[in-house]
């Protein structure tokens, strides 16, 4: 952003801090502050309220408020430019963390564990409605990080063998897998896009990635064109 635009933005933010509590036309005599950029969509933090922000849409300025459970940090895309409250660092800006609870949802927007035991699913709330979501294959939900992680990172809460469906060998394997010891690799029956590797004796399900397939002979991920029988 150019220096004049930054100066204009500072003036807009300072002026609109008042708009949050009073009518814009009354405050400015009809001369409402304009957006620094005439085109596109830009969002700017409220200087005092972590749950509010200023939104410019093709030069039209508005004061917006995050939904319950969300706050603004300029990085969130959960809903209307806002992020989950646990992911936002508000600094000196105040944040109202009062929950508006509904069955299955502490906040109207949030992510929560699906059960008290190790689970490959979790609950994602939107507008107070709980919806079950699934971790990627081979991962389990971690309530501390609000993300899905390797199940061996959640021992003893999780059993990696039960989640992945594979038991790692106690001794170095023979054949191609031995080349990768102490992190041996194994093919996934019927699945050319993934492999199993063992980390400290615990299995992890790995995805080769876009346009890559796992070769059961070399135990490596190759371009799909090199493995026509799997494509």
């Amino acid at each position: 952003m150019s220096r004049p635009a930054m100066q204009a933005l500072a003036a807009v933010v300072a002026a609109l801090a008042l708009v949050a509590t009073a009518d814009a036309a009354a405050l400015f005599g009809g001369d409402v502050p304009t957006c620094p950029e005439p085109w596109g969509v830009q969002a700017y933090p409220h200087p005092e309220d972590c749950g509010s922000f200023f939104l410019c849409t093709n030069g039209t300025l508005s004061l917006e408020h995050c939904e319950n459970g969300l706050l603004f940090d300029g990085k969130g895309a959960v809903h209307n430019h806002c992020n989950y409250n646990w992911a936002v660092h508000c600094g000196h800006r105040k944040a109202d963390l009062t929950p508006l609870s509904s069955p299955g949802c502490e906040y109207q927007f949030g992510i929560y564990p699906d059960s008290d035991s190790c689970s490959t699913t979790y609950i994602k709330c939107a507008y107070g409605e709980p919806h079950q979501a699934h971790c990627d294959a081979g991962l389990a939900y971690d309530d501390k990080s609000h993300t899905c992680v390797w199940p061996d990172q959640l021992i003893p809460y999780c059993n990696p063998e039960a989640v992945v469906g594979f038991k790692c060998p106690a001794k170095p394997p023979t054949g191609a897998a031995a080349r990768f010891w102490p992190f041996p690799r194994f093919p996934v029956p019927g699945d050319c896009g993934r492999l199993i590797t063992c980390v400290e004796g615990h299995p992890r399900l790995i995805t080769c990635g876009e346009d890559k397939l796992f070769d059961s002979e070399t135990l490596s991920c190759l371009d799909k064109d090199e493995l026509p029988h799997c494509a």
Side-chain angles (χ1 to χ4, degrees):
M1 183 183 297
S2 64
R3 185 178 183 83
M6 293 181 64
Q7 293 175 336
L9 173 60
V12 168
V13 171
L16 282 185
L18 299 175
V19 179
T21 56
D23 181 75
L27 279 171
F28 302 106
D31 185 17
V32 180
T34 57
C35 291
E37 304 291 338
W39 305 108
V41 177
Q42 302 88 31
Y44 307 107
H46 190 287
E48 298 178 355
D49 185 3
C50 199
S52 300
F53 61 99
F54 302 122
L55 185 66
C56 287
T57 307
N58 292 329
T60 300
L61 190 64
S62 62
L63 176 64
E64 305 287 330
H65 303 282
C66 296
E67 297 285 347
N68 182 250
L70 304 179
L71 295 171
F72 182 82
D73 63 357
K75 304 175 184 177
V78 174
H79 176 74
N80 191 26
H81 302 279
C82 297
N83 205 350
Y84 292 119
N85 55 22
W86 44 263
V88 177
H89 299 285
C90 292
H92 65 277
R93 294 179 299 152
K94 65 178 183 179
D96 183 2
L97 300 179
T98 304
L100 298 177
S101 302
S102 57
C105 299
E106 180 182 4
Y107 291 91
Q108 294 295 289
F109 280 78
I111 297 178
Y112 308 101
D114 196 11
S115 69
D116 294 331
S117 59
C118 179
S119 178
T120 59
T121 61
Y122 57 96
I123 298 299
K124 190 173 184 178
C125 290
Y127 296 107
E129 292 288 336
H131 303 277
Q132 188 181 68
H134 293 264
C135 294
D136 289 341
L139 302 182
Y141 180 74
D142 176 25
D143 190 33
K144 291 183 179 180
S145 64
H146 306 277
T147 60
C148 295
V149 301
W150 306 117
D152 59 270
Q153 295 177 298
L154 299 176
I155 294 174
Y157 179 69
C158 280
N159 179 358
E161 295 178 4
V163 174
V164 179
F166 183 85
K167 181 178 178 63
C168 290
K171 298 179 179 180
T174 59
R179 294 192 297 113
F180 299 95
W181 187 264
F183 307 107
R185 298 178 176 185
F186 303 91
V188 179
D191 188 347
C192 287
R194 292 180 289 194
L195 66 138
I196 293 173
T197 187
C198 295
V199 178
E200 296 183 353
H202 303 297
R204 289 185 178 184
L205 186 63
I206 307 291
T207 299
C208 280
E210 187 176 1
D211 295 328
K212 297 285 187 179
L213 294 174
F214 185 68
D215 180 19
S216 59
E217 294 183 2
T218 63
L219 300 183
S220 300
C221 292
L222 305 175
D223 291 336
K224 62 180 182 181
D225 295 337
E226 300 181 63
L227 299 170
H229 62 282
C230 275

Coordinates of all heavy atoms in Angstrom, one line a residue, residues 86 111 140-149 154:
W86 N -9.7 -18.7 19.5 CA -8.4 -19.2 20.1 C -7.3 -19.0 19.1 O -6.1 -19.2 19.6 CB -8.6 -20.7 20.4 CG -9.3 -21.5 19.3 CD1 -10.6 -21.9 19.3 CD2 -8.7 -22.1 18.2 NE1 -10.9 -22.6 18.2 CE2 -9.8 -22.8 17.5 CE3 -7.4 -22.1 17.6 CZ2 -9.5 -23.4 16.3 CZ3 -7.2 -22.7 16.4 CH2 -8.3 -23.4 15.8
I111 N -14.8 -25.2 17.0 CA -14.4 -26.6 16.7 C -14.3 -27.3 18.0 O -13.6 -26.8 18.9 CB -13.1 -26.7 15.9 CG1 -13.3 -26.0 14.5 CG2 -12.6 -28.1 15.7 CD1 -12.0 -26.0 13.7
A140 N -5.8 -38.1 13.8 CA -6.8 -38.1 14.9 C -6.9 -36.6 15.4 O -6.0 -35.9 15.3 CB -6.4 -39.0 16.1
Y141 N -8.1 -36.3 16.0 CA -8.3 -34.9 16.4 C -7.6 -34.7 17.7 O -7.7 -35.4 18.7 CB -9.8 -34.7 16.5 CG -10.1 -33.3 17.0 CD1 -10.0 -32.2 16.1 CD2 -10.5 -33.0 18.3 CE1 -10.2 -30.9 16.5 CE2 -10.8 -31.7 18.7 CZ -10.7 -30.7 17.8 OH -10.9 -29.4 18.2
D142 N -7.0 -33.5 17.8 CA -6.3 -33.0 19.0 C -7.0 -31.8 19.5 O -7.0 -30.7 18.9 CB -4.8 -32.7 18.7 CG -4.1 -32.1 19.9 OD1 -4.5 -32.4 21.0 OD2 -3.1 -31.4 19.7
D143 N -7.6 -31.9 20.7 CA -8.4 -30.8 21.2 C -7.5 -29.6 21.6 O -8.0 -28.4 21.6 CB -9.2 -31.2 22.4 CG -10.2 -30.2 22.8 OD1 -10.7 -29.4 22.0 OD2 -10.5 -30.1 24.1
K144 N -6.3 -29.8 21.9 CA -5.4 -28.7 22.4 C -5.0 -27.8 21.2 O -5.0 -26.6 21.4 CB -4.1 -29.3 23.0 CG -4.3 -30.0 24.4 CD -3.0 -30.4 25.0 CE -3.3 -31.1 26.3 NZ -2.0 -31.5 26.9
S145 N -4.7 -28.4 20.1 CA -4.4 -27.6 18.9 C -5.5 -27.3 18.0 O -5.4 -26.6 17.0 CB -3.3 -28.3 18.1 OG -3.7 -29.5 17.6
H146 N -6.7 -28.0 18.2 CA -7.9 -27.8 17.4 C -7.6 -28.3 16.0 O -8.2 -27.7 15.0 CB -8.4 -26.4 17.4 CG -8.6 -25.8 18.8 ND1 -9.8 -26.0 19.5 CD2 -7.8 -25.0 19.5 CE1 -9.7 -25.4 20.6 NE2 -8.5 -24.8 20.7
T147 N -6.7 -29.2 15.8 CA -6.4 -29.7 14.5 C -6.3 -31.3 14.6 O -6.3 -31.9 15.6 CB -5.0 -29.2 14.0 OG1 -4.0 -29.6 15.0 CG2 -5.0 -27.7 13.9
C148 N -6.1 -31.9 13.4 CA -5.9 -33.3 13.3 C -4.4 -33.6 13.2 O -3.7 -32.9 12.4 CB -6.7 -33.9 12.1 SG -8.5 -33.7 12.2
V149 N -3.9 -34.5 14.0 CA -2.5 -34.8 14.0 C -2.2 -36.3 13.9 O -3.1 -37.1 13.9 CB -1.9 -34.2 15.3 CG1 -2.1 -32.7 15.5 CG2 -2.5 -35.0 16.6
L154 N -0.5 -38.4 20.2 CA -1.5 -38.3 21.2 C -1.5 -39.5 22.2 O -2.4 -39.8 22.9 CB -2.9 -38.2 20.6 CG -3.1 -37.0 19.7 CD1 -4.5 -37.0 19.1 CD2 -3.0 -35.7 20.6

